[in-house]
């Protein structure tokens, strides 16, 4: 109901709309309208109320609800249904629960904050309220389960391009992070449920540090985490960023669905790679190996060359990659 009220207020932007009018249109009592308006004000909407005139929207809240994003969305399915939470444990956990219940492809889960944000291999992801984009997308692609890592490449390309298009240069640290000045601004976590040759669903989670100030980055992450605001010097519109990501994501994902390839995503991942041509360390179950990153192949494997001249195509899975001296 709050969403419907916001829509009406937006349709009447600059004008007053009476409580009676809202109540007639939405078939709820005037007292209910008044209560919803108060809730919206508490959420951060600036709504002017004048007796005998009604309500007028002065400023929207900085919230990642469907009503706040839809006017910038160009997609058919991705993001056309958004579950928005003020706070939740983890958007991936919620997405998986909804996927199990049969939620359709393209549905998005967004939390203003996550209390148990997840990284890979059970690591944590700090997700303070209103400061980032913490979202997950439910997908049901008809692909072989071994190709689930394609989704991570599509996601990384979609986020990287969205950030570049907002004027902020960034790099993709294969397979699942976006970095600026060698520090992480975004992590991606792809989880799949499937059988041997069939995907039931895939959930791709994205955690983007958008408007965190320096002091909001946890101490232990100071050397490896940053935000778009810290790096660009300006606050960034989370709403525009989400819409741009979803628009890019659908465009790139469509290639996978139609042609079973991800050339466009790989192109972006290559041209924005933080690793190609660099000396790196590959960490696999606590063992570290030195190598040079050479290229990305059409399936999104990182081709590396070892000091003895042998080459290998790395599959994301359980590998972490580090720069020779530090995080990248
Ligand atoms: P890695 O980058 O080590 O391969 P992940 O991609 O799984 O690992 O990310 C999880 C790690 O990212 C955590 O262990 C933590 O060090 C770091 N981290 C947690 N929250 C954030 C954040 N908001 N921004 C950047 N890095 C974070």
């Amino acid at each position: 109901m709050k969403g419907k009220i916001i829509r009406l207020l937006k349709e009447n932007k600059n004008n007053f709309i009476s409580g009676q009018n809202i109540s007639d249109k939405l078939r709820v009592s005037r007292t209910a309208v008044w209560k919803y308006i108060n809730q919206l004000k508490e959420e951060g909407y600036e709504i002017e109320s004048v007796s005998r005139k009604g309500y007028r929207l002065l400023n929207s809240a900085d919230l990642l609800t469907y009503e706040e994003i839809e006017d910038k969305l160009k997609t058919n399915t991705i993001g056309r249904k958004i579950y928005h939470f003020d706070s939740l444990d983890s958007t991936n956990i919620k997405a998986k629960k909804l996927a199990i219940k049969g939620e359709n492809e393209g549905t998005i889960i967004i939390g203003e904050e996550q209390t148990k944000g997840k990284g890979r291999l059970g690591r944590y992801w700090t997700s303070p309220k209103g400061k980032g984009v913490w979202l997950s997308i439910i997908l049901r692609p008809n692909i072989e389960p071994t190709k689930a890592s394609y989704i991570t490449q599509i996601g990384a390309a979609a986020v990287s391009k969205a950030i570049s298009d907002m004027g902020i240069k960034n790099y993709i640290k294969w397979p699942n992070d976006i970095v600026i000045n060698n520090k992480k601004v975004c992590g991606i976590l792809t989880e799949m449920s499937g059988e041997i040759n069939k995907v039931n669903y895939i959930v791709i989670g994205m955690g983007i540090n958008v408007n965190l100030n320096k002091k909001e980055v946890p101490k232990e992450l100071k050397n490896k985490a940053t935000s778009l605001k810290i790096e660009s010097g300006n606050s960034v519109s989370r709403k525009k960023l989400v819409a741009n990501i979803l628009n890019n994501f659908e465009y790139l994902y469509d290639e996978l669905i139609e042609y079973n390839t991800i050339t466009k995503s790989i192109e972006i991942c290559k041209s924005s790679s933080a690793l190609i041509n660099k000396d790196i360390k590959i960490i696999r179950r606590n063992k570290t190996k030195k190598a040079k990153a050479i290229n990305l192949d059409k399936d999104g494997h990182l081709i590396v060359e070892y000091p003895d001249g042998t080459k290998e195509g790395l599959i994301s899975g359980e590998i972490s990659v580090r720069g020779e001296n530090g995080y990248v």
Side-chain angles (χ1 to χ4, degrees), residues 51-101:
S51 62
R52 276 187 289 276
K53 276 186 165 176
Y55 304 104
R56 179 164 70 158
L57 181 63
L58 299 177
N59 265 312
S60 277
D62 179 24
L63 291 175
L64 300 177
T65 54
Y66 185 69
E67 292 70 37
E68 293 301 327
I69 293 167
E70 64 177 330
D71 59 329
K72 300 168 207 51
L73 216 51
K74 297 180 193 138
T75 58
N76 291 315
T77 50
I78 305 290
R80 285 299 165 187
K81 180 167 177 189
I82 296 182
Y83 286 86
H84 174 266
F85 298 87
D86 191 39
S87 174
L88 85 173
D89 49 1
S90 136
T91 57
N92 264 31
I93 293 177
K94 188 73 189 175
K96 284 191 279 181
K97 284 186 188 153
L98 288 165
I100 290 166
K101 283 195 197 152

Side-chain angles (χ1 to χ4, degrees), residues 109-160:
I109 293 79
I110 296 186
E112 292 297 327
E113 93 178 327
Q114 296 184 105
T115 53
K116 284 192 188 138
K118 290 198 300 172
R120 294 188 307 160
L121 309 175
R123 296 177 188 130
Y124 70 99
W125 191 264
T126 303
S127 321
K129 193 167 223 163
K131 296 286 173 174
V133 168
W134 327 120
L135 78 76
S136 298
I137 311 174
I138 296 173
L139 300 168
R140 298 185 182 279
N142 185 9
I143 56 169
E144 291 158 36
T146 50
K147 290 188 171 165
S149 65
Y150 278 19
I151 302 296
T152 307
Q153 301 303 300
I154 295 172
V159 174
S160 174

Side-chain angles (χ1 to χ4, degrees), residues 120 123-124 126 176-177 184 209 224-225 320 322 327:
R120 294 188 307 160
R123 296 177 188 130
Y124 70 99
T126 303
N176 68 323
D177 296 321
K184 204 176 337 187
N209 302 330
K224 65 175 195 177
S320 291
R322 295 283 181 271
Y327 187 64

Side-chain angles (χ1 to χ4, degrees), residues 117-128 134 173-178 183-189 207-209 212 216-218 220-221 224-227 283 319-322 327:
K118 290 198 300 172
R120 294 188 307 160
L121 309 175
R123 296 177 188 130
Y124 70 99
W125 191 264
T126 303
S127 321
W134 327 120
K173 176 176 163 288
W174 184 90
N176 68 323
D177 296 321
I178 312 282
K183 291 180 184 173
K184 204 176 337 187
V185 278
C186 164
I188 290 172
L189 175 65
I208 307 159
N209 302 330
L212 286 89
E216 287 159 334
V217 176
E220 73 276 14
L221 298 180
K224 65 175 195 177
T226 188
S227 74
I283 308 166
I319 294 180
S320 291
V321 176
R322 295 283 181 271
Y327 187 64

